[in-house]
Amino acid sequence: MKISILFGTESGNSEMAAEDLAASLADTYETEIRDLAEVSPEDLREDALYVFVCSTYGEGELPNSALPFYTALSQTRPDLTGVHYAIFGLGDSFYTETFGHGSLKLDAQLKDLGAHRAGDFGRHDASTWEPVGEVAVAWFEDVLSSLQVNSNAA
Amino acid sequence: MQPNPAIAIVGSGPAGCYLAQTLRRSMPDAEITMFDRLASPFGLVRYGVAPDHQGTKSIQAQFARLFERDNVRFAGNVEVGSKLSLDALRDTHHVVVLATGLARDRALRVPGESLSGVYGAGQFTRTMNTHPHENPTLPLLGDTVAIIGGGNVSLDVVRLLIKSPADFDGSDVNDPAVEAYAESPVREIDLICRSSADAAPFDPSMLAELGRIPGVQFASEGQTLSGANTSSATQSALEGLRSSEPDGPPRVRVRIHFNSTTTRIAGKDRVEGVEIRLPDGSLHVIEARSVITAVGFDFDPSDPLLGEMGANSDTGLLAEGLYRTGWAKRGSRGTIPENRQCAKAVAAEILKYLAATQSSAPKAGYSGLPDATLRHVIDFEGWLRVDAAERAAAPPNRSRKKFADHSWMVATAHENIDGQTTSAAQRRHVKEQS
Ligand SMILES: Cc1cc2nc3c(=O)[nH]c(=O)nc-3n(C[C@H](O)[C@H](O)[C@H](O)COP(=O)(O)OP(=O)(O)OC[C@H]3O[C@@H](n4cnc5c(N)ncnc54)[C@H](O)[C@@H]3O)c2cc1C
Ligand SMILES: Cc1cc2nc3c(=O)[nH]c(=O)nc-3n(C[C@H](O)[C@H](O)[C@H](O)COP(=O)(O)O)c2cc1C
């Protein structure tokens, strides 16, 4: 399985988390990192696992660099049945009402278009000062083991 | 392409850090050194961003990577333009980039501005962040304060003034300043904003945050709307503020005046009020014992590096091999992420320049600097000792305790790692603590 890590960022934390995640997987999987600004929905394939790592800006919006991808999803509404993804949202609980809403919106949109989410929605809260890379790597181990459990059950 | 060029970045705030990040990605073998006049890196992330916004300050972890992993050198305690000349830096490095920010509060350019009792928001937020070159405590502000400016920095000032010491849990605020201020806090704040509520550059979530502080009463005035859009996030945040009634009598009242242009600061020897003009042309004087201006930051004519130079939105180029980025390039506009975009553009200019200069003479880089400079440098290890000492000194409800004394920072940074030689300065401060 190829793992494609797609990040959406404004201040660079998501890119850093994506790099840490890729480094932790590089020995075991074929991995790539891409900026969501350079990805379009047509690029999504059925034979890869897409890992979205994305922050939140404005009043619970996606970061600017991820907006074109999200807008394209909403406007062209491609059928994403058979596409597998995991998603990790960076945010700050200081924004009490919109904590992580940008990536939650992306998650809802992907699901709505038929894509299948692996594992739980991951979260990082900037106010905790926890190292975002470590949190992302730990979260993704759970995602991978949930995939393992599912494929064993099948 | 110049093989392994030597690059000096002056200033270790967001602008310098994002530039180093971008350059490192394209040049894994370049020698990159980031200088700062302070013993600590990160610029306004440490000394501007409000001490109660720890989530925003946590971007330091991303920038620290540069020094921990990406082989970028931190050279703190080096002021370029005084301790080390710009020429010496340019002689030894292929590229020098000024990322020195803008520290000077912009003038309002109205009569009365030089009266005593008029302060800048930069000054105020540096004190609250314990900047070693700023006054360690706030001036006596009196009962009534007018804050001029419609941006997020003016909301930072309002919020820091209306909080009581208990509202700073988890922060790294300057406690001696907060405690002294708490003995005679401000009772009335008038926030004066030139634009309408809809057009004000306030971040709505920062307006809403004010409403979560207990004991404050809010009002707003003069808000003819700029458009039909009455349901903007700013409007609903304002609604929220106006309807948040304190339980008892309010500790402090905050009035926000929209569409109000400051025309004069009134007073004989010191501030007595602020004169504003409303859209109908009428003039009103708002009583105030002091004024804090929050209208941005400006180039400082006495700065040996940038002097009276203005902003430039096109290029970062200043002279051959000399560039600028961040606030020093664009002026004091924009949040931390905008410096990342700016860094990408300036890095592209630098890479193009380096690609075109194949055969220039080799340069000695960092190790070619005068011994007198190198001897005083604080490296990243040194900064980590300051960082650890500050965290260790934090009271239970604070994330760290900063020390206002730069010589304490320098002494702590130069400390032996095995801790055998606790400096006199540190012992003194530890004593003050207990
Ligand atoms: C009060 C305040 C609050 C803010 N809050 C936020 C916020 O919450 N969120 C947000 O996104 N943005 C915030 N900003 C904006 C943000 O801080 C800026 O966008 C950013 O810091 C600009 O980066 P810079 O690197 O250009 O300048 P700076 O951060 O100012 O860095 C300049 C560095 O250069 C060093 N330096 C200066 N002169 C010399 C010299 N001669 N030799 C050596 N070193 C030198 C300084 O010590 C400093 O470390 C705030 C700004 C202020 C003023
Ligand atoms: C202007 C601004 C608005 C933000 N709005 C939100 C928000 O609504 N909800 C949230 O959870 N986080 C919000 N954040 C926090 C960021 O998502 C968080 O800092 C994250 O780590 C940034 O990741 P990035 O560097 O990849 O962009 C905001 C940050 C800023 C600077």
Side-chain angles (χ1 to χ4, degrees), chain A residues 8-16 53-61 63 90-102 123-126 132, chain B residues 18 55-56 58-59 62 152 203 205 335-337 340:
Chain A
T9 189
E10 278 189 30
S11 66
N13 289 334
S14 301
E15 184 171 18
M16 177 175 70
V53 180
C54 185
S55 61
T56 293
Y57 277 84
E59 311 304 304
E61 302 302 320
L90 287 82
D92 186 342
S93 58
F94 161 78
Y95 299 91
T96 42
E97 264 143 48
T98 56
F99 177 42
H101 278 200
R123 266 187 196 279
H124 178 262
D125 176 0
V132 59
Chain B
Y18 283 127
T56 306
S58 74
I59 189 106
Q62 185 192 138
N152 286 338
D203 193 342
S205 60
T335 54
I336 293 165
R340 187 169 178 267

Side-chain angles (χ1 to χ4, degrees), chain B residues 108-112 148 192 260-266 274-278 281-285:
Chain B
L108 281 171
R109 300 183 206 287
V110 299
I148 302 173
I192 299 166
S260 302
T261 309
T262 302
T263 47
R264 177 170 68 92
I265 297 178
V274 174
E275 184 187 75
I276 58 170
R277 188 176 54 233
L278 298 181
S282 62
L283 296 174
H284 300 260
V285 175

Side-chain angles (χ1 to χ4, degrees), chain B residues 11 13-15 36-37 43-44 48 78 80 99-101 125 297 327 334-336 339:
Chain B
D36 207 289
R37 54 155 73 120
L44 287 173
V78 181
V80 176
T100 47
T125 49
F297 298 83
W327 274 16
T335 54
I336 293 165
N339 298 295

Side-chain angles (χ1 to χ4, degrees), chain B residues 27-314:
Chain B
M27 294 189 291
D29 297 319
E31 181 194 280
I32 305 179
T33 305
M34 219 186 298
F35 295 86
D36 207 289
R37 54 155 73 120
L38 298 179
S40 54
F42 312 134
L44 287 173
V45 176
R46 184 170 150 91
Y47 289 118
V49 170
D52 55 344
H53 280 176
Q54 290 292 312
T56 306
K57 286 189 189 272
S58 74
I59 189 106
Q60 289 178 35
Q62 185 192 138
F63 296 154
R65 286 285 182 102
L66 291 165
F67 311 110
E68 291 166 350
R69 207 188 57 177
D70 298 337
N71 197 24
V72 173
R73 179 189 284 111
F74 177 64
N77 198 29
V78 181
E79 185 166 65
V80 176
S82 62
K83 281 189 194 168
L84 172 65
S85 75
L86 183 57
D87 286 345
L89 211 50
R90 294 183 69 193
D91 287 346
T92 46
H93 292 78
H94 297 97
V95 169
V96 174
V97 189
L98 305 179
T100 47
L102 292 177
R104 197 167 108 126
D105 282 287
R106 177 176 294 144
L108 281 171
R109 300 183 206 287
V110 299
E113 184 160 22
S114 51
L115 284 172
S116 98
V118 182
Y119 309 100
Q123 224 181 330
F124 176 88
T125 49
R126 281 194 294 272
T127 292
M128 296 304 267
N129 275 303
T130 328
H131 191 295
H133 295 164
E134 196 51 80
N135 294 329
T137 52
L138 296 174
L140 263 183
L141 296 168
D143 274 4
T144 51
V145 174
I147 298 166
I148 302 173
N152 286 338
V153 172
S154 68
L155 291 186
D156 282 332
V157 175
V158 172
R159 189 182 68 257
L160 295 170
L161 285 175
I162 64 180
K163 279 193 167 182
S164 31
D167 299 323
F168 284 101
D169 277 7
S171 76
D172 60 357
V173 76
N174 177 351
D175 273 313
V178 166
E179 280 154 22
Y181 169 71
E183 286 174 17
S184 50
V186 170
R187 304 288 175 198
E188 312 265 338
I189 293 176
D190 289 279
L191 175 58
I192 299 166
C193 174
R194 203 166 48 175
S195 41
S196 68
D198 282 341
F202 297 135
D203 193 342
S205 60
M206 280 190 53
L207 269 176
E209 183 188 7
L210 297 178
R212 301 201 286 270
I213 301 166
V216 192
Q217 188 164 61
F218 295 91
S220 60
E221 293 174 13
Q223 48 191 316
T224 32
L225 299 170
S226 60
N229 177 16
T230 49
S231 61
S232 73
T234 304
Q235 285 293 345
S236 48
L238 282 171
E239 277 309 318
L241 286 184
R242 284 190 294 255
S243 59
S244 70
E245 279 291 321
D247 291 339
R251 283 185 296 119
V252 47
R253 291 192 168 80
V254 178
R255 279 178 300 268
I256 310 180
H257 305 260
F258 291 104
N259 290 308
S260 302
T261 309
T262 302
T263 47
R264 177 170 68 92
I265 297 178
K268 279 203 197 69
D269 306 317
R270 66 163 287 133
V271 173
E272 291 166 21
V274 174
E275 184 187 75
I276 58 170
R277 188 176 54 233
L278 298 181
D280 65 7
S282 62
L283 296 174
H284 300 260
V285 175
I286 297 170
E287 203 185 297
R289 297 295 298 157
S290 32
V291 169
I292 299 176
T293 64
V295 292
F297 298 83
D298 224 338
F299 292 84
D300 181 351
S302 68
D303 170 26
L305 300 179
L306 290 163
E308 299 198 43
M309 215 176 287
N312 187 328
S313 53
D314 301 328

